[in-house]
Amino acid sequence: MAHGPVAIGAVVAAAILALVAGSLAAVALRGAGGWPGPADWVALRFTLGQAALSAVLSVALAVPVARALARRRFPGRAALISLMGAPFLLPVIVAVLGLIAVFGRQGWFNDALAVLGLPRMSVYGLHGVVLAHVFLNLPLAVRMVLMGWQAIPAERLRLAASLDFGPVEMFRHLERPMLRAVLPGAALAVFLICLTSFAVALTLGGGPGATTVELAIYQALRFEFDPGRAAVLALMQVALGGAAVLAAARVTVPAGFGPGLDRLAERHDARTPWLRAQDAVAIGAAAAFLLGPLAAVVWRGLPGLVDLPAAVWPAAARSVAVAAVSTALTLAAAVALARAVVAGARWVELAGMLPLALSGLALGTGLFLIVHPFVAPERLALPVTALVNALLSLPFALRLILPALREIEASHGRLADSLGLTGRARLLRLVLPRLRRPLGLAAGLVVALAMGDLGVIALFAGEAEATLPLIVHRLMGAYRMQAAAGAALVLVALSFALFFLCDRWGRGDAAA
Amino acid sequence: MIRRTATGTLIATCAAALGLAAPARAETPVLTVLTYDSFVSEWGPGPAIEQAFEAECACDLRFVAGGDGAALLSRLMLEGTRSEADVVLGLDTNLTAAAAATGLIAPHGQTGPWDLPVAWDDPLFLPYDWGWFAFVHDTTRTPQVPGSLMALAESDLKVVIQDPRSSTPGLGLVMWVQAALGDRAPAFWAALADNIVTVTPGWSEAYGLFLEGEADLVLSYTTSPAYHLIAEGDATKAAVAFAEGHYLQVEVAGKLAATDQPDLADRFLAFVGTPAFQSVIPTTNWMYPARQPEGGLPAGFETLIRPDISLLLPADQAQALRGPAVDAWRTALSQ
């Protein structure tokens, strides 16, 4: 009975592994690889340190915010949840400039400190790198944890209410098991994203002490022309990522709440003024932290909107097309992989998470080498960009879909089995309807990530294939900071609109 | 979708049958020029140059953008002799030795004189524009600026620079310090460390941070203030003249030895030195043209500083020094 899903998932996983291994091999074959030197080990240590710190902090901060959002109802809540997701969708350079407007030497935060008579603070250094990574990834972590809270069946909450559980009992019996199931995955996702950080780490790191492995890969490919070394470094990154995936799988414990009837959850607990205040502070602080730099991006971008170059609009259309194709590919692959994992093929999960630890530059260069003998690379610029984005965002989709699917199969699997509901019918009648929420969120994230990607298109694009992020980059490279800010605002608005549509679809009409 | 594809095929088949499509294509040879991103954008030099050259060559000039300057060399090496490109345009003097060593570049055959501050006799690489690296400041925000590299390192001013491992200006600064200070380079970096706000992966991030007010000075070019003056009517930006002299960046073009359009490539390289090409450069690439057009430079360029001493290491020496100089830079700044 499980042969179908496992076979399909295995094929998808094998294709992913082939793509990853093939592109790295293509890079490696172009030159003898040097063994990493002392500087690379320093870079590796910094990379691991900042990624671990960023992951732990993002997840730790996400818990109170997600809990507050889970147990409070207030006007504008749904809009706030969507809007707080926006930093995750920002192109890196735009996010950095937004953070600088708030936390920089001349930023609002330091102005406020000065008004209070406090000394100005520098944002540059390890703390700046972690600040930026938390800013970029807290939204993802909040959404993952919030989804965990929402997956606690309403029946369990009612039972808790009838037993008169206080916050302590609620935590012990419902929230702690849920967090043990959700947090390792959320931390893993953030850790893997930060593992391949390059521009954020260097720009806010304050100097070459903040060198990441990704920068070493860039240097090896660009200035030293040593593809072998680049491949070795990229492999090192993948190995670290793989180790992190395995470690996270070991500490994850399924919550096992059993099935519910999808009733809207009502929270009886947390009605005390003290807990109300606590939640208000959590939501208020997170909103200020996440929306401040976002407001700066909008504020800087508005003047640039008046004279946008003509190239912005066709580039925007190309970006939307690429994002749509990426999203379709990613969701199909993620559902296939998740079904195989739930049916028992654990190795498939590893294949699905690995791309997150993959250097975009190494992957792009590998594909370039594979493609080049057969066809001019710029002719394939958009399809390759769509494929690479699908691959790189697959882990997010998988991370969101897999826990939900596990819950579905644990709760309804036996009933479906006894009814003989298998294959397509099971997918269409049971799995997809109940996966709607994670599917919507995953689609939103993937579409927005693909919109904002700059990694691969820059390697392949010719004269007429530029996407919107590339236009922003080119404008900035030609002194046109104001036009760049305007184009970036268009990009952010488009990404957010697409994210909002998908996410909204996933959440249906429910108030949640 | 299917219907549209079928219609497209039908039209293509009919056109081919009538002999419309194929001969037209065969009569127009295509010259492919591999260059960097900002060259081909609608606000860069590309469009005007394409129009001017196509008007006289009866050919189709096609630009292929391959990222930034350093990405060009990497792409050349990846593609090897199978490259579709006939000409590469946009390498700089820090990369020409490595590019020459590939054996992929053929002599350009053009003769000077060039309007460069240094003598130029490279048979493989043809200069098309150049500029001096310089630190740029905002005269209203930071009116007092130091007059030398050493004085900058000893000052309290905040600077933002680019990483020599990922950016050409960043590498330019390392070479500048090496050429100007020699053995004193490590001491300079150690003294500069407390002035550096941050090191960015590329020029755009650094310049963006400077415009946001994050630093008093940014590593850029002596010509950067011309952009603000001419395009924005803003006269508050200025480059700082340093007593040790300023390092040059010379941007060059080269013909690929494996080109299938050698004559057209030669015509293009000859075109590079003509006013039609050179007059576009100052206000699109914001650099000095390698051969000054007869009308002189655009109004506004006369306000720029012109350093007395121009520094440029020979290409092979720059290549040999790069590794150790970047290591010294990293060691000094990682303390």
Side-chain angles (χ1 to χ4, degrees), chain A residues 61-448:
Chain A
L61 293 174
V63 170
V65 179
R67 181 172 59 187
L69 287 169
R71 66 190 183 188
R72 301 290 161 202
R73 296 288 175 273
F74 52 89
R77 177 176 168 278
L80 183 69
I81 291 178
S82 282
L83 206 57
M84 276 171 48
F88 188 67
L89 319 175
L90 290 178
V92 165
I93 178 63
V94 178
V96 168
L97 289 179
L99 280 170
I100 291 298
V102 176
F103 296 102
R105 287 175 74 214
Q106 309 295 327
W108 304 339
F109 182 71
N110 269 321
D111 288 347
L113 285 183
V115 168
L116 298 173
L118 296 166
R120 287 178 175 266
M121 279 171 40
S122 167
V123 71
Y124 302 97
L126 177 62
H127 60 286
V129 176
V130 173
L131 177 86
H133 282 156
V134 171
F135 169 75
L136 290 167
N137 296 306
L138 182 61
L140 178 71
V142 166
R143 290 304 296 271
M144 287 176 129
V145 179
L146 181 60
M147 213 169 261
W149 247 289
Q150 287 164 336
I152 300 177
E155 288 78 1
R156 302 292 164 280
L157 293 174
R158 288 184 183 197
L159 183 61
S162 68
L163 293 172
D164 211 15
F165 273 12
V168 177
E169 289 87 359
M170 282 291 286
F171 180 77
R172 187 182 304 150
H173 296 289
L174 292 176
E175 295 177 333
R176 193 171 58 184
M178 182 280 292
L179 289 175
R180 284 213 60 179
V182 171
L183 289 189
L188 173 69
V190 178
F191 178 82
L192 291 179
I193 298 169
C194 297
L195 206 56
T196 55
S197 174
F198 161 31
V200 170
L202 193 58
T203 305
L204 291 175
T211 293
T212 57
V213 178
E214 188 74 14
L215 175 73
I217 295 176
Y218 191 94
Q219 183 190 13
L221 280 174
R222 283 289 191 273
F223 280 83
E224 292 166 355
F225 199 72
D226 189 348
R229 204 173 101 82
V232 169
L233 292 166
L235 211 63
M236 214 156 88
Q237 254 182 6
V238 171
L240 282 175
V245 172
L246 293 176
R250 282 193 77 94
V251 296
T252 304
V253 180
F257 288 124
L261 292 172
D262 299 345
R263 294 201 185 112
L264 192 60
E266 280 170 37
R267 298 291 301 247
H268 72 287
D269 61 325
R271 291 202 183 122
T272 65
W274 161 241
L275 290 178
R276 261 177 217 276
Q278 191 184 320
D279 287 352
V281 168
I283 293 174
F289 173 54
L290 295 177
L291 301 184
L294 208 59
V297 169
V298 175
W299 180 247
R300 301 283 147 124
L302 286 176
L305 289 181
V306 286
D307 62 343
L308 280 178
V312 163
W313 305 110
R318 280 192 286 272
S319 285
V320 171
V322 165
V325 174
S326 289
T327 309
L329 281 174
T330 305
L331 291 190
V335 171
L337 292 179
R339 292 189 80 198
V341 175
V342 171
R346 293 294 296 266
W347 67 274
V348 165
E349 183 179 358
L350 187 64
M353 289 306 287
L354 265 192
L356 209 46
L358 193 59
S359 155
L361 187 67
L363 176 67
T365 306
L367 288 175
F368 184 97
L369 284 168
I370 292 170
V371 158
H372 176 254
F374 306 106
V375 53
E378 60 270 18
R379 241 165 262 157
L380 285 180
L382 297 181
V384 167
T385 306
L387 180 68
V388 168
N389 279 318
L391 193 62
L392 294 180
S393 48
L394 175 62
F396 301 110
L398 187 61
R399 216 56 271 160
L400 290 166
I401 289 168
L402 184 57
L405 190 67
R406 276 210 182 100
E407 215 52 54
I408 293 171
E409 287 294 338
S411 308
H412 307 276
R414 264 179 295 176
L415 178 63
D417 287 347
S418 71
L419 291 173
L421 196 59
T422 58
R424 251 176 77 87
R426 191 183 184 111
L427 186 67
L428 294 178
R429 297 274 169 89
L430 171 66
V431 174
L432 288 184
R434 300 190 66 86
L435 270 185
R436 183 165 156 168
R437 191 194 295 254
L439 274 180
L441 178 56
L445 288 180
V446 176
V447 84

Side-chain angles (χ1 to χ4, degrees), chain A residues 30 39 93 104-106 124 202-203 206 211 215 219 222-223 225 300 311 378 459 461 463 474 476 479, chain B residues 37 42 50 62 65 71 75 77-79 158 165 197-199 201 203 205 212-214 224 322 330:
Chain A
R30 283 304 299 256
I93 178 63
R105 287 175 74 214
Q106 309 295 327
Y124 302 97
L202 193 58
T203 305
T211 293
L215 175 73
Q219 183 190 13
R222 283 289 191 273
F223 280 83
F225 199 72
R300 301 283 147 124
E378 60 270 18
L459 279 177
E463 200 175 348
R474 286 179 180 177
M476 283 191 73
Y479 294 99
Chain B
D37 273 347
E42 64 182 85
E50 184 174 348
R62 207 166 60 91
R75 173 138 175 187
M77 288 175 153
L78 290 177
E79 296 189 336
K158 292 294 176 192
R165 297 168 297 173
V197 173
T198 196
V199 176
W203 177 90
E205 293 91 349
E212 290 286 323
E214 289 297 291
S224 298
R322 195 182 67 204
R330 187 178 55 200

